[in-house]
Amino acid sequence: MTASIDNLVVLFAATSGASGELLGSDEKEIIQLVWQVVDLANKKTGQLNEVFVRPKHLELTDECKAESGITEETITAAEPLENALNQFSQRLSIEANGAPVCLCTDGQLHIRQVIHPEASSKNIMLPESFYSFFDLRKEFKKNVPSSANLKDLDIQVMADYLNVTTDSSANTPAAVKVQTMAGIVLELISDPHCHSFSQPERVNEKFETGTCSKMERVDDDTVIRARGLPGGAALCLNAQGRRNGEALVRFVSEEHRDLALQRHKHHMGARYIEVYKATGEDFLKIAGGTSNEVAHFLSKENQVIVRMRGLPFTATADDVLVFFSPSCPITGGKDGILFVKYPDGRPTGDAFVLFSCEEYAQNALKKHKEILGKRYIELFKSTAAEVLNRYTSAPLIPIAPAPIIPVLPQPPFVPPTAVRDCVRLRGLPYIATIEDILEFLGDFTADIRPHGVHMVLNQQGRPSGDSFIQMKSAERAFMTAQKCHKRTMKDRYVEVFQCSAEEMNIVLMGGTLNRNGLSPPPCKLRRLSPPSYTFPPPTAVMPADASALYQPQVILNPRPLQPPAFYPASAQLFMNYAAYYPSPPGSPTSLNYFHSPSNAPALGAQPGALVRMHGLTYNNGVKEILNIFQGYQSPPESMALVNSLCGQPSSSEALMTLPALLSAKQPLPDRGPGALGGPFLDLQLL
């Protein structure tokens, strides 16, 4: 619509909750509609119209009563929203004599944040006039570029600038605002401004889907993440290929993104939806594609997509065609079927199918859990974004060899499992660092155990939004959870719960902890090992006589490992990435957040000094190592070779107690074949 408008309808909506810049953010219902027609051609205004609306919940907030002057008795006798909208259409049609009209509101909230969401939730069909409107603030800004920013403009600011005065004898404050807005419109179209109202904004009813290139630049200020969606509306998948109740949405501008953020914790059906800021990188991971096969599949517009899950790995396109025919033919035959595969070409058991209309798609969904081959097939309605997400996402990460555990790490503190002296932080910003967490905890930082901050990573090794904190006592953990729960960190509120060390360790190793209880990590499930198999006892890291030299809390006991010969070499096993790669711990003392206590115990208080040797070859023994330190008083019993967890020599490490500090990277003499390997040894004082 580019032609000039003859009739402008100035509209104002009030709800039973917040008003002003927070209008609609609390999901309250409409209780009042006020409008007035402005004849732009003849520069005059029509009759002021006011209709009260009866909401489903009759309770009004104190703010609403103060701002609107409306009482609960007034709206009790009013008509519901659908009838009020019918009155609006009838009166407008009579006053405009059937001529086309366009709405004009003070900002975006009345149309986008109040009328359309409520009409959608109540299944009310809005008149066509509600799908285009003028934002009076933007029209004023076009004519007066030197005025304040759009966010700072309001009705009174615009009226004061244009010297518009209004009779305040109207019945309600909303009626006064509508009359003032009509006066602003008349002033704008008159000399010397002579403003023309053209090119109104459109409210797009249809959600636009499609692919974008991973090379495309997506503005971070236009993307949001919606969390808690019902299963049928989810666009993102977890590592197991299941819908995780999240979606990433890209808007045309930062203004619309900000409107979406105001819908945080609004409801979709019976569920409330959390809305957060996201980045362009997050969006491209879901909607960005590089596969020509996927692009060709999604290039067919106006198609309904159905996802198939649980297909036999030997299933072909002909099998899928037979499964759906004849009641629901697939668009394009075999071209309308997209099988999802792993990067190495193996089938995943998933496929996407195109149907030309909703009727065919509904007939297809009726085949949910019917048999194809010897397996039942699950069917779900899908979207283009889910096709990209599922097709381009990496498979579950195969089991890798367990990393070698350091013999002398910084000693972790693991309290008794029955004591709830830990806290869990949930909902952290993904960019949050340990320093941000310490700042968030404030005075409670002093109660954190040394190296007691643990960030939980997801299957891709990225922050999951969770972390665990080990506190000095259960009482301090309780106080931390009480005082810090739902505090804000980087514009996000963070949930803080008290928990135990056992729960923390299971989550750090890949398990889950939610309202349904505690679930072990995938590697702990019995299905990975036959019940008759028993694991061998763990071997000692160092001999018992050598271990007596060191403090017991610094010796780390190895965890039992499953022999690699148990599974065939060709077997592909998958598990949670976090099970083998938990995030490194941190604490205020390790980050210099505050000074460590001066009376902290030190290992150096023992007689002599302990060094660690890196760079030894696998065939070195005690004799070869002692030859390196000739001239130092280091008896053989003071040295221990470090074995790996499977009992074999590790990547050449040794522990020795020496009377003096040795220089790092001690040069080695050339002793010929069989001597200690490498040009130098890396010696570290412990």
Side-chain angles (χ1 to χ4, degrees):
M1 186 184 300
T2 59
S4 297
I5 307 298
D6 292 333
N7 293 293
L8 211 59
V9 182
V10 179
L11 177 67
F12 187 92
T15 70
S16 60
S19 59
E21 297 306 312
L22 296 178
L23 180 68
S25 62
D26 52 4
E27 209 175 4
K28 296 295 185 180
E29 297 176 86
I30 298 173
I31 60 171
Q32 183 186 28
L33 290 175
V34 184
W35 70 92
Q36 188 174 21
V37 177
V38 179
D39 186 344
L40 300 180
N42 299 314
K43 297 181 182 180
K44 63 179 183 179
T45 59
Q47 179 183 356
L48 183 67
N49 297 272
E50 185 175 25
V51 174
F52 293 103
V53 182
R54 186 180 74 247
K56 290 183 179 179
H57 305 284
L58 297 177
E59 184 179 358
L60 304 181
T61 64
D62 294 337
E63 179 185 356
C64 170
K65 294 177 181 178
E67 290 287 335
S68 66
I70 301 174
T71 63
E72 295 174 355
E73 291 75 13
T74 303
I75 62 173
T76 301
E79 296 290 334
L81 179 61
E82 187 170 12
N83 294 349
L85 291 174
N86 290 335
Q87 291 185 40
F88 171 84
S89 300
Q90 293 171 4
R91 295 186 190 181
L92 194 60
S93 176
I94 295 173
E95 190 167 356
N97 294 323
V101 298
C102 189
L103 302 181
C104 180
T105 59
D106 175 34
Q108 304 276 315
L109 302 180
H110 300 270
I111 297 294
R112 298 189 186 274
Q113 200 78 327
V114 174
I115 295 178
H116 275 274
E118 185 170 342
S120 176
S121 65
K122 295 181 177 180
N123 294 320
I124 298 175
M125 184 71 69
L126 286 172
E128 179 62 29
S129 57
F130 283 94
Y131 288 90
S132 62
F133 71 101
F134 286 101
D135 184 343
L136 186 57
R137 299 185 185 186
K138 291 183 179 180
E139 298 302 317
F140 178 83
K141 186 69 175 178
K142 289 178 185 177
N143 200 270
V144 189
S146 60
S147 61
N149 295 329
L150 287 175
K151 293 182 179 180
D152 298 327
L153 288 176
D154 59 23
I155 295 175
Q156 193 58 48
V157 171
M158 293 184 288
D160 292 343
Y161 188 91
L162 298 175
N163 297 320
V164 174
T165 59
T166 306
D167 182 11
S168 59
S169 61
N171 294 332
T172 60
V176 175
K177 291 180 180 179
V178 168
Q179 289 179 332
T180 305
M181 291 169 63
I184 294 172
V185 171
L186 290 177
E187 191 65 30
L188 286 176
I189 63 176
S190 304
D191 294 333
H193 303 285
C194 300
H195 180 69
S196 175
F197 284 85
S198 60
Q199 298 181 345
E201 294 188 41
R202 290 289 304 174
V203 179
N204 294 325
E205 187 180 12
K206 182 181 178 182
F207 178 74
E208 297 181 9
T209 62
T211 61
C212 65
S213 171
K214 284 190 177 291
M215 303 304 294
E216 183 178 344
R217 183 184 180 279
V218 178
D219 189 353
D220 290 345
D221 293 330
T222 62
V223 182
I224 61 99
R225 178 186 298 273
R227 180 181 298 170
L229 296 168
L235 304 181
C236 301
L237 305 178
N238 60 17
Q240 287 74 35
R242 296 183 175 89
R243 305 176 186 219
N244 63 5
E246 293 191 3
L248 285 156
V249 184
R250 179 186 181 187
F251 294 92
V252 296
S253 66
E254 182 181 357
E255 178 188 29
H256 288 190
R257 191 282 309 269
D258 292 340
L259 290 174
L261 291 174
Q262 291 191 24
R263 303 217 182 153
H264 179 59
K265 290 205 171 180
H266 283 203
H267 288 75
M268 180 180 292
R271 302 186 60 171
Y272 75 85
I273 310 300
E274 300 176 43
V275 183
Y276 305 102
K277 291 181 181 179
T279 65
E281 180 183 0
D282 296 333
F283 182 80
L284 287 176
K285 289 178 183 177
I286 303 300
T290 57
S291 170
N292 292 331
E293 185 179 6
V294 176
H296 177 72
F297 179 81
L298 296 176
S299 63
K300 303 176 178 63
E301 298 182 355
N302 300 322
Q303 302 293 312
V304 184
I305 305 175
V306 171
R307 177 187 174 193
M308 306 179 69
R309 188 170 71 187
L311 287 167
F313 294 148
T314 57
T316 64
D318 291 327
D319 296 331
V320 176
L321 289 173
V322 173
F323 178 79
F324 285 112
S325 64
S327 59
C328 35
I330 298 174
T331 301
K334 294 182 180 180
D335 290 339
I337 304 172
L338 178 67
F339 288 97
V340 182
K341 300 179 181 179
Y342 289 117
D344 59 3
R346 294 181 295 112
T348 64
D350 277 20
F352 293 95
V353 183
L354 295 177
F355 296 97
S356 59
C357 63
E358 190 68 32
E359 180 183 358
Y360 289 161
Q362 291 300 325
N363 290 337
L365 293 173
K366 292 177 182 178
K367 294 180 175 289
H368 181 59
K369 292 197 175 182
E370 288 191 7
I371 302 298
L372 193 160
K374 295 182 179 180
R375 302 189 62 176
Y376 72 87
I377 308 301
E378 297 178 280
L379 301 175
F380 310 94
K381 197 171 182 181
S382 185
T383 63
E386 187 174 14
V387 174
L388 284 168
N389 188 311
R390 187 70 185 98
Y391 196 88
T392 60
S393 60
L396 296 178
I397 300 175
I399 288 181
I404 297 175
I405 301 178
V407 178
L408 291 175
Q410 194 70 26
F413 176 80
V414 181
T417 57
V419 180
R420 296 175 61 81
D421 56 354
C422 301
V423 292
R424 179 186 185 185
L425 273 60
R426 187 171 67 185
L428 294 169
Y430 295 124
I431 61 174
T433 62
I434 295 179
E435 288 84 352
D436 295 327
I437 293 176
L438 299 179
E439 182 179 357
F440 170 81
L441 294 176
D443 294 340
F444 295 101
T445 302
D447 300 315
I448 299 177
R449 291 278 182 180
H451 311 282
V453 181
H454 304 269
M455 304 289 288
V456 182
L457 308 181
N458 61 16
Q459 288 82 4
Q460 287 73 40
R462 297 179 179 273
S464 66
D466 282 18
S467 72
F468 286 88
I469 315 293
Q470 293 174 283
M471 309 299 289
K472 292 182 179 179
S473 66
E475 292 75 15
R476 301 310 297 171
F478 175 78
M479 291 300 299
T480 303
Q482 289 291 314
K483 299 295 184 181
C484 298
H485 185 55
K486 291 197 174 181
R487 277 188 186 176
T488 301
M489 179 190 298
K490 299 182 183 294
D491 297 329
R492 291 187 61 174
Y493 76 87
V494 178
E495 298 175 294
V496 184
F497 307 100
Q498 187 181 12
C499 65
S500 67
E502 179 186 16
E503 295 169 336
M504 177 192 73
N505 289 333
I506 288 182
V507 173
L508 288 177
M509 292 301 294
T512 57
L513 174 63
N514 52 37
R515 67 187 64 182
N516 296 324
L518 192 64
S519 300
C523 58
K524 302 294 183 182
L525 298 180
R526 293 187 177 183
R527 57 184 171 82
L528 290 182
S529 304
S532 61
Y533 187 83
T534 58
F535 294 106
T539 57
V541 175
M542 60 178 66
D545 55 349
S547 64
L549 295 170
Y550 316 113
Q551 295 180 0
Q553 64 265 30
V554 301
I555 305 299
L556 181 67
N557 293 326
R559 65 180 180 220
L561 293 181
Q562 184 173 339
F566 174 71
Y567 291 106
S570 60
Q572 282 286 336
L573 303 177
F574 302 94
M575 65 176 296
N576 194 319
Y577 185 77
Y580 278 103
Y581 298 93
S583 61
S587 72
T589 53
S590 65
L591 295 167
N592 296 324
Y593 191 79
F594 53 73
H595 295 293
S596 300
S598 58
N599 59 351
L603 187 61
Q606 299 183 28
L610 185 67
V611 296
R612 182 178 182 175
M613 304 173 63
H614 289 273
L616 300 176
T617 58
Y618 289 102
N619 58 353
N620 293 139
V622 175
K623 180 179 179 181
E624 287 81 8
I625 295 176
L626 291 177
N627 288 338
I628 294 297
F629 299 104
Q630 288 182 1
Y632 293 96
Q633 296 178 2
S634 53
E637 61 270 15
S638 69
M639 187 275 300
L641 281 175
V642 180
N643 293 334
S644 67
L645 297 179
C646 59
Q648 299 299 323
S650 70
S651 56
S652 307
E653 296 186 3
L655 300 171
M656 295 193 67
T657 303
L658 298 177
L661 173 63
L662 297 176
S663 61
K665 296 188 177 179
Q666 180 78 15
L668 297 177
D670 187 5
R671 299 179 182 270
L676 295 176
F680 58 81
L681 285 176
D682 187 5
L683 305 182
Q684 299 177 354
L685 179 64
L686 299 181

